[in-house]
Amino acid sequence: MCCARWAREKPDAVAVRCERDDGSVALHTWGELQRDANRLAHALTRLGVRRGDRVAIVMPQRIETPIAHFAIYQLGAVAMPLSMLFGPDALEYRLNDSGAQVAIVDEGAIANLRAARPQCPGLETLIAVGAAQGQGDLDWTDALRTRAGRAHTRADEGR
């Protein structure tokens, strides 16, 4: 409902406008967001994420953040946004308390998440975004290199 309807009805309409530090602007359409959310949903499914599972998102506002939220919602999983300002102890507590099995993280928090990880036995996979790629278990770009078909959700059962 958050993205798929817009992607169906207005796939070429601008959904997100990103202004970079250098002043350049990138426009992202609903169709692009849905395509990438579908790809990430497939990757999360392959990692074992199911309905009700927690997935931590440790990123600021960047284009990958809404894509991660849409993918997680499609699966019926629980998106758990965590501040990128949290240190290792705060991340450890929240990851263990929630039972998150996957964390999606960028360069702003990868060092703290990697420091907390040995104390988080349930955290199975780090998906590394942006400049953090190469420092996790799976890079964002590799996760999205999959078929673009929509992940099956319980919402499909009512159709």
Side-chain angles (χ1 to χ4, degrees), residues 1-3 33-34 36-45 47 49-59 64-82 100-105 127 140 151-154:
M1 298 302 290
C2 297
C3 184
L33 292 180
Q34 187 62 54
D36 287 349
N38 290 341
R39 289 176 175 172
L40 182 59
H42 283 290
L44 291 171
T45 299
L47 293 171
V49 174
R50 303 287 181 259
R51 181 176 185 79
D53 290 343
R54 275 79 172 168
V55 177
I57 300 172
V58 194
M59 295 188 290
E64 293 88 353
T65 304
I67 292 168
H69 278 275
F70 294 146
I72 293 164
Y73 301 154
Q74 281 179 200
L75 296 176
V78 179
M80 193 177 73
L82 296 176
Q101 66 189 69
V102 175
I104 304 172
V105 60
I127 299 176
W140 177 271
H152 177 80
T153 65
R154 288 184 53 102

